Amino acid sequence: MISLTEKQTYQISILLIVALALGSLVIGTKAYDDFNRISRSWTTYADDTFHRANHLADLKSALGYGGVIHHFKNYVIRHDEKYYNAARKSAEKAKIAIAELEVHLKTQAEKDALQDIARVLRAYQNMTVMVKAAIAGGRAVTDIDRIVKVDDTPAFEAMEIISRGIEKGIEQGHSELTNAISGGKMVVIVGLVGVFILLFVAGFLLSNLRRLFGEIEKKALYLDSITSGLPCGLLVVNRDGMVEKYNEKTKEIFGAIQCQDKKFSLLDIFGSIGDMPAFLDVLSGNMGQFTIESQDESFSRKPVLVEVQPLNTQGRQKYILTITDMSELNQAKRKLEETNLQLEQTIEEVNGFKKLLDEHALVSMTDAAGRIAYANEKFCKTSGFSLEELLGNKHNLVKSNMHSSVFWKKMWQEISSGKIWHGEVTNRRKDGSLYWVYSTIMPFRNEKGAIHKYVSARTDITEIKNAERRIHQLAYVDTLTKLPNLMQFNELIKSMQAEIDQFDDFGKLVIIDLGVSGLVEINGAFGWEYGDRLICTIAERLKRELSEAELIAKIGGDRFGIVLFTEDHADDYVNQITAKIQKVFHHAFEVDENLLKVSASCGALVYPDDLQALSADKRTTDDINRYLELSRLESSKMSGSTLIRFESGILQNVSRRTMILHSVEQALENGEIYMVYQPQISLKSRDVVGVEALMRWRRPDGSFISPGEFIPVLEVSEFISQLSQWTNERCVQDLKTLQQTLPTVRMGINISANFLVSDYLLPSLEKLLKDHKIDPACLELEVTESSIMEDLDLALGQLNKLKSLGFRISVDDFGTGHSSLAYLAKFPLDQLKVDKSFIRFISENDQSRAIVKTVISLGKAMNLDVIAEGTEKKEQIDFLQAEGCDEVQGYYFAKPMELHELVKWCENPPLHDL
Ligand code: C2E
Ligand code: CA
Ligand code: CA
């Protein structure tokens, strides 16, 4: 494929356009001639025929019907003057038509025929005049008619001849036109098509040319923009020294005035400074470079370097001159030299600083991921690691595990956010010994702004730290276990609390207060020293098992404090820790070859989660200790090693419990505490056979505290005996009053679990019998199934003694305590009291029904009375009766009532529904 240069394309295009223009001209001219000829022949033919036909028609109408002859005849007949005038007018018209027609007639025959018509016309004209004279002479019409005789036949024949001539003319004109057209047609068509093609090709070539010009223009513009942006002057000069092109910088160097004229020569710009020899050199073709002095508009002189390059365009010799302002270059060079000097000084200073730093500090550099990329000699010497061992490793190599995860997390948070970090760090040497440094870590950013390295300088502060530690140990370490003490435990919590409060999503603290149960007894039995050794063994095992703990401290004689840190999933974490603690206490501890099994009670708290419901002033470290203790106390009520996690409900319980404990004495004195009695009805005899005594506490504000709440609180306090004594006293007195109405009625008295096993129970009941001389068979002592099950042997002993005193014994809440039936048979019982939870669902629940049935038949088999409590509905009673239950007690018949109400109720008990 032959590719053409722009110039060749341009030249060929121009040539083609000229050739096409000439071709179009030749073909066009020929076509035009043919057209002309056709059009001419058409015009002649049309013109002639039109005129002849037109004038003949005029003649016919002027002569024939409606013309001369017609009017003449009317005049002859009617003698009316108007016909005479009309005849004359038509004659005039006919004359004009004859004159016109004469011009266009071609043949002699036609011309002769026209003369005939003219003669006839004249005859009629003469005759008209004659008729006028005759009319004027008074001649009759018939007379006139006789003399009027014009022969008009020759005229009509003549018209026929002319008419035929016209027809012939038409035929001839038509054949002439047809010839002209058929002869010229092809040429015209070919010519037109040719011109059309030529115009099309020319148009295409022209558009190409336009594009070519556009591109050339674009190139010129592009070149202009390049040259105008050049930092040096650029000139195109022809061999006469005339400047053909120059750029902006040239103007700047030589001044706009010199370059102002459209045409100027090198002489104008060089001449002004008189550097003629150099200029002449250029012209004589001595290429290369030379220096001259330029003078700009402000007349300041500057050295400029002129470089000359030949340029051969279209055979014409031209030169490109590059002009560089040497003053700028010199200035830059000077600046560079100055900077170099400064740099050398700085490097010297930096080297000095580095030397100083290396002498004084442990310096290292890591990449963004924390891998060591450099460490100085002092670093290697202090840490005991060689440079090769350090490079590529993280600082974990010297990590001592002496700092909390919070500590490292905070450090990374600061440096990775671009801040400089300072802090004291405990590191570990290769040989395992510890050293302390005061560390400064500085992050460095790359040109994109991302941190790409950290440089750290550390001062060895081991000496200071050792001294400090000796002082610290005295204040912060437990002398027995060498574990941190309460003070340190509290300080750590306080500082970690501050971090957590400051940063969102920082993490959570799990804090545990662990108490070793039974230590007092062990101390008592084996001596203090033995107890101490046990504590040390427990401490060792805790440290081993909870290695992830931030701190394990000894915070009291038999208490350990544990602080752990977790980023999230605190609940799962607490569960894991609980399992680990249970593992620690699962096996016996060996002390002096003795195996000792102890358990732990743990209070735990997750900060800040578990304190969320509390205001900020209730979240201090002291508060946290208090909450932990409360939770630990809760846990100590349970058997085995358990962990109770703090929740605000514990606080409420505590405050309510405190209130109960503090106000019970006063309440007894004020009569806030009193007894109510609920009837028990025999399903056989339909009589009230007993009442159950139930305690009530009405507060001065009218609110009630249920016995279900206050009895368990008081039960674990010293008040329970006092309260029980008071109740029993009250009950016996009331029973006596009631027996005045119902002489055989029994009274059920609830005996709490603790009171059952207490030393007070028997003496107080014996005293009761003695003081009131009451039949013990009327007193039914209700003991719950679960209180019997707690310590079967103890309960059995107590119950046997009570039985021997003559009391009736009823097992309360029967069915809920998972009794060992075999054991139960050994108990001196009188009654089983089916728990109300089974009665409640008798109608709906098959299982409840089955249990009730079983209890009833069991009672029967053991020869015990069965009473159902919590009977509220008729269908429950019907079912119980059908199954053979002995007695019922419940709201269906009566709610618990005060004595005077009960007495009234018993006088006329509404038992008719039974
Ligand atoms: P408990 O010994 O099982 O007493 C029966 C409880 O059921 C009583 O609640 C009684 O009011 C309630 N009750 C009776 N009939 C119905 C009924 O048809 N439907 C329902 N839903 N409940 C019924 P109370 O009086 O609140 O006593 C609660 C618990 O407090 C007693 O359970 C008992 O364990 C203890 N308690 C009450 N008074 C004394 C007392 O003087 N000494 C001791 N040690 N404990 C007492
Ligand atoms: Ca009861
Ligand atoms: Ca009960």
Side-chain angles (χ1 to χ4, degrees):
M1 191 144 166
I2 303 163
S3 63
L4 300 174
T5 63
E6 271 166 19
K7 196 176 161 190
Q8 282 167 328
T9 317
Y10 174 75
Q11 285 168 346
I12 290 168
S13 299
I14 292 291
L15 271 175
L16 275 174
I17 288 172
V18 170
L20 290 170
L22 283 173
S24 309
L25 198 68
V26 171
I27 298 168
T29 313
K30 174 79 179 82
Y32 178 74
D33 275 355
D34 287 333
F35 257 119
N36 230 7
R37 193 162 54 80
I38 293 161
S39 124
R40 253 201 325 273
S41 109
W42 169 253
T43 316
T44 323
Y45 150 76
D47 220 37
D48 210 45
T49 313
F50 172 76
H51 282 106
R52 281 204 281 171
N54 220 13
H55 297 316
L56 185 67
D58 284 353
L59 187 60
K60 268 186 181 166
S61 76
L63 201 65
Y65 184 78
V68 175
I69 301 170
H70 184 75
H71 298 311
F72 173 77
K73 285 192 174 159
N74 275 336
Y75 188 45
V76 172
I77 297 163
R78 296 194 174 87
H79 293 185
D80 192 336
E81 191 71 6
K82 79 178 182 202
Y83 295 114
Y84 170 78
N85 289 333
R88 288 198 45 166
K89 256 189 201 153
S90 294
E92 282 311 310
K93 274 189 194 163
K95 259 200 235 164
I96 293 167
I98 289 168
E100 294 277 1
L101 199 56
E102 196 172 10
V103 182
H104 294 285
L105 293 183
K106 300 253 165 49
T107 61
Q108 195 52 50
E110 284 172 340
K111 283 180 184 164
D112 291 347
L114 194 64
Q115 287 311 312
D116 289 347
I117 296 167
R119 259 191 303 278
V120 172
L121 179 66
R122 269 196 305 278
Y124 268 106
Q125 274 181 310
N126 293 338
M127 203 56 71
T128 312
V129 175
M130 279 166 68
V131 171
K132 192 174 179 175
I135 291 169
R139 294 175 79 164
V141 177
T142 42
D143 193 19
I144 294 170
D145 198 34
R146 195 175 40 81
I147 58 168
V148 178
K149 272 275 186 279
V150 181
D151 184 10
D152 51 9
T153 325
F156 285 105
E157 277 171 6
M159 271 193 232
E160 203 47 40
I161 291 167
I162 295 169
S163 198
R164 269 203 303 276
I166 292 171
E167 270 166 30
K168 230 165 113 189
I170 290 174
E171 268 165 35
Q172 193 187 332
H174 184 255
S175 73
E176 241 175 78
L177 192 63
T178 312
N179 288 345
I181 289 173
S182 60
K185 196 159 62 185
M186 278 319 287
V187 181
V188 172
I189 291 168
V190 169
L192 283 178
V193 170
V195 168
F196 183 73
I197 291 168
L198 291 178
L199 285 176
F200 181 77
V201 174
F204 173 72
L205 287 170
L206 272 173
S207 88
N208 255 358
L209 264 188
R210 210 175 23 243
R211 186 181 51 77
L212 213 63
F213 279 133
E215 260 163 33
I216 288 168
E217 201 174 331
K218 249 194 270 171
K219 273 187 184 168
L221 268 176
Y222 177 61
L223 213 66
D224 267 2
S225 74
I226 290 175
T227 54
S228 69
L230 282 177
C232 59
L234 202 76
L235 291 162
V236 178
V237 182
N238 67 17
R239 60 191 310 166
D240 304 325
M242 288 308 288
V243 175
E244 289 190 349
K245 251 184 181 308
Y246 60 95
N247 68 350
E248 279 298 306
K249 190 73 185 174
T250 311
K251 272 204 260 179
E252 217 178 277
I253 296 171
F254 294 109
I257 311 157
Q258 273 96 293
C259 307
Q260 227 168 23
D261 291 331
K262 272 207 168 150
K263 279 194 170 178
F264 60 94
S265 83
L266 277 186
L267 207 61
D268 294 321
I269 47 176
F270 284 11
S272 60
I273 40 137
D275 208 315
M276 286 307 287
F279 169 58
L280 290 174
D281 262 359
V282 173
L283 289 190
S284 64
N286 272 348
M287 300 313 152
Q289 57 182 52
F290 54 90
T291 315
I292 57 164
E293 267 196 326
S294 80
Q295 189 175 314
D296 65 9
E297 258 148 56
S298 57
F299 299 105
S300 61
R301 285 164 174 264
K302 312 180 200 169
V304 294
L305 177 76
V306 182
E307 281 170 284
V308 186
Q309 289 273 330
L311 175 74
N312 199 335
T313 53
Q314 293 143 351
R316 274 177 291 164
Q317 184 60 55
K318 291 184 184 179
Y319 304 97
I320 293 185
L321 272 64
T322 326
I323 320 282
T324 316
D325 185 344
M326 294 303 285
S327 65
E328 280 174 17
L329 214 68
N330 290 345
Q331 219 172 338
K333 215 165 120 189
R334 259 200 312 280
K335 251 204 177 119
L336 199 72
E337 276 164 9
E338 270 170 37
T339 316
N340 263 342
L341 201 74
Q342 275 172 1
L343 208 67
E344 269 166 32
Q345 278 170 1
T346 314
I347 288 169
E348 206 174 305
E349 279 166 16
V350 167
N351 281 337
F353 281 134
K354 191 179 173 296
K355 210 170 157 202
L356 201 73
L357 198 66
D358 281 340
E359 284 278 306
H360 183 73
L362 289 69
V363 182
S364 70
M365 189 176 82
T366 69
D367 61 14
R371 277 183 296 268
I372 300 171
Y374 166 80
N376 72 352
E377 219 181 290
K378 202 172 170 73
F379 190 111
C380 300
K381 217 167 137 192
T382 312
S383 68
F385 287 100
S386 71
L387 186 61
E388 291 69 39
E389 284 171 315
L390 289 171
L391 290 182
N393 268 311
K394 295 197 173 180
H395 276 104
N396 284 358
L397 218 60
V398 292
K399 205 169 162 182
S400 65
N401 290 332
M402 295 291 279
H403 297 278
S404 67
S405 357
V406 176
F407 175 88
W408 295 118
K409 193 173 170 185
K410 210 181 144 217
M411 181 202 89
W412 268 105
Q413 237 170 23
E414 287 211 5
I415 58 174
S416 59
S417 72
K419 290 186 194 141
I420 297 176
W421 181 86
H422 308 276
E424 285 179 8
V425 184
T426 314
N427 284 338
R428 197 177 292 283
R429 293 191 186 88
K430 193 178 176 183
D431 64 11
S433 61
L434 297 176
Y435 64 99
W436 279 259
V437 288
Y438 182 80
S439 180
T440 301
I441 307 177
M442 192 164 155
F444 281 79
R445 293 184 189 275
N446 60 17
E447 59 284 352
K448 284 179 196 148
I451 292 170
H452 68 129
K453 65 179 174 192
Y454 299 100
V455 175
S456 29
R458 304 168 183 80
T459 325
D460 192 340
I461 51 163
T462 311
E463 287 300 306
I464 305 164
K465 273 291 168 188
N466 278 338
E468 215 178 79
R469 216 170 51 153
R470 281 192 290 278
I471 302 164
H472 180 93
Q473 257 182 353
L474 296 174
Y476 284 90
V477 172
D478 172 65
T479 38
L480 172 66
T481 55
K482 303 283 181 285
L483 285 176
N485 64 7
L486 178 67
M487 205 137 83
Q488 207 170 330
F489 175 73
N490 282 342
E491 272 184 17
L492 181 75
I493 295 174
K494 202 180 269 179
S495 68
M496 284 180 126
Q497 257 185 299
E499 304 294 348
I500 290 168
D501 291 347
Q502 192 185 349
F503 305 101
D504 281 348
D505 297 332
F506 188 86
K508 291 161 185 185
L509 279 189
V510 178
I511 315 168
I512 295 166
D513 178 344
L514 183 152
V516 180
S517 15
L519 192 72
V520 183
E521 288 77 12
I522 290 167
N523 280 338
F526 301 99
W528 283 98
E529 281 186 9
Y530 189 86
D532 282 353
R533 281 198 288 283
L534 171 66
I535 284 291
C536 288
T537 319
I538 294 172
E540 282 310 312
R541 215 186 267 183
L542 278 175
K543 275 204 287 189
R544 208 170 43 240
E545 207 56 54
L546 299 169
S547 57
E548 74 270 45
E550 300 292 336
L551 184 86
I552 297 178
K554 177 132 170 301
I555 56 172
D558 55 357
R559 280 165 56 216
F560 292 93
I562 304 162
V563 181
L564 301 116
F565 177 76
T566 178
E567 303 229 329
D568 44 21
H569 304 301
D571 298 347
D572 296 345
Y573 196 52
V574 171
N575 290 339
Q576 286 168 25
I577 300 301
T578 309
K580 285 189 176 184
I581 292 174
Q582 277 166 346
K583 191 177 162 199
V584 167
F585 288 90
H586 182 72
H587 301 288
F589 294 91
E590 194 183 329
V591 182
D592 292 352
E593 293 174 358
N594 287 329
L595 283 176
L596 277 176
K597 183 95 169 63
V598 287
S599 62
S601 49
C602 303
L605 179 152
V606 175
Y607 186 87
D609 294 10
D610 296 347
L611 303 192
Q612 226 66 278
L614 300 169
S615 58
D617 61 335
K618 296 228 162 44
R619 295 160 71 161
T620 63
T621 312
D622 281 351
D623 289 327
I624 288 178
N625 274 311
R626 199 158 54 82
Y627 303 151
L628 284 169
E629 185 162 9
L630 289 174
S631 311
R632 183 171 54 77
L633 288 176
E634 285 291 310
S635 141
S636 68
K637 289 179 196 158
M638 306 191 171
S639 55
S641 294
T642 48
L643 181 143
I644 295 283
R645 186 162 159 191
F646 174 78
E647 35 114 5
S648 45
I650 288 180
L651 284 184
Q652 279 158 18
N653 288 347
V654 167
S655 63
R656 185 100 176 147
R657 281 217 296 259
T658 318
M659 183 275 287
I660 289 168
L661 286 169
H662 278 85
S663 42
V664 64
E665 227 165 353
Q666 191 88 40
L668 268 176
E669 271 172 33
N670 294 350
E672 289 171 37
I673 295 175
Y674 59 95
M675 300 308 295
V676 290
Y677 304 95
Q678 188 176 29
Q680 299 172 332
I681 290 108
S682 159
L683 289 175
K684 280 188 208 108
S685 67
R686 301 166 191 192
D687 290 329
V688 178
V689 289
V691 293
E692 181 182 0
L694 295 158
M695 218 186 297
R696 292 290 174 263
W697 182 345
R698 183 174 38 220
R699 308 262 295 146
D701 63 1
S703 65
F704 281 91
I705 306 176
S706 101
E709 182 184 358
F710 70 81
I711 288 170
V713 175
L714 297 174
E715 223 176 11
V716 289
S717 76
E718 60 205 45
F719 286 112
I720 194 64
S721 345
Q722 197 189 335
L723 190 68
S724 301
Q725 246 159 335
W726 179 88
T727 347
N728 298 346
E729 198 78 27
R730 179 82 261 147
C731 287
V732 171
Q733 280 175 23
D734 287 350
L735 177 64
K736 279 181 157 177
T737 314
L738 186 63
Q739 281 182 340
Q740 286 167 12
T741 314
L742 300 169
T744 56
V745 78
R746 301 183 311 251
M747 180 172 287
I749 295 176
N750 289 291
I751 304 291
S752 73
N754 270 19
F755 193 52
L756 175 67
V757 292
S758 87
D759 300 337
Y760 281 109
L761 178 75
L762 284 162
S764 80
L765 288 176
E766 270 171 340
K767 188 174 178 289
L768 199 72
L769 291 179
K770 215 171 103 196
D771 288 356
H772 295 281
K773 308 221 167 15
I774 192 137
D775 178 7
C778 292
L779 289 175
E780 196 164 44
L781 306 179
E782 293 190 11
V783 288
T784 62
E785 193 187 10
S786 55
S787 69
I788 302 174
M789 298 313 292
E790 217 165 88
D791 193 334
L792 279 165
D793 294 332
L794 192 57
L796 181 64
Q798 292 288 76
L799 290 182
N800 276 334
K801 282 176 200 156
L802 291 175
K803 190 70 215 174
S804 64
L805 287 173
F807 291 106
R808 269 174 69 88
I809 293 166
S810 170
V811 185
D812 202 354
D813 302 343
F814 191 77
T816 59
H818 310 286
S819 336
S820 146
L821 290 176
Y823 217 94
L824 213 62
K826 296 184 192 166
F827 279 74
L829 307 176
D830 299 285
Q831 189 186 59
L832 293 180
K833 204 170 187 185
V834 187
D835 190 64
K836 51 185 174 293
S837 59
F838 304 115
I839 307 301
R840 210 166 133 199
F841 298 112
I842 272 179
S843 327
E844 301 103 74
N845 191 315
D846 292 347
Q847 206 185 341
S848 294
R849 266 201 302 276
I851 291 171
V852 174
K853 274 186 183 180
T854 315
V855 174
I856 294 170
S857 48
L858 181 78
K860 292 248 149 70
M862 289 169 73
N863 209 16
L864 303 171
D865 285 345
V866 179
I867 181 168
E869 64 175 357
T871 48
E872 293 181 358
K873 294 177 191 153
K874 175 91 166 62
E875 56 259 41
Q876 294 166 343
I877 291 160
D878 290 344
F879 174 83
L880 291 163
Q881 190 164 25
E883 291 302 323
C885 181
D886 302 300
E887 293 163 22
V888 290
Q889 176 190 340
Y891 294 170
Y892 182 74
F893 291 118
K895 289 200 168 178
M897 292 170 276
E898 286 191 54
L899 183 69
H900 62 276
E901 291 174 291
L902 176 77
V903 171
K904 222 170 144 198
W905 187 88
C906 287
E907 281 163 5
N908 189 16
L911 304 175
H912 42 267
D913 266 358
L914 196 64

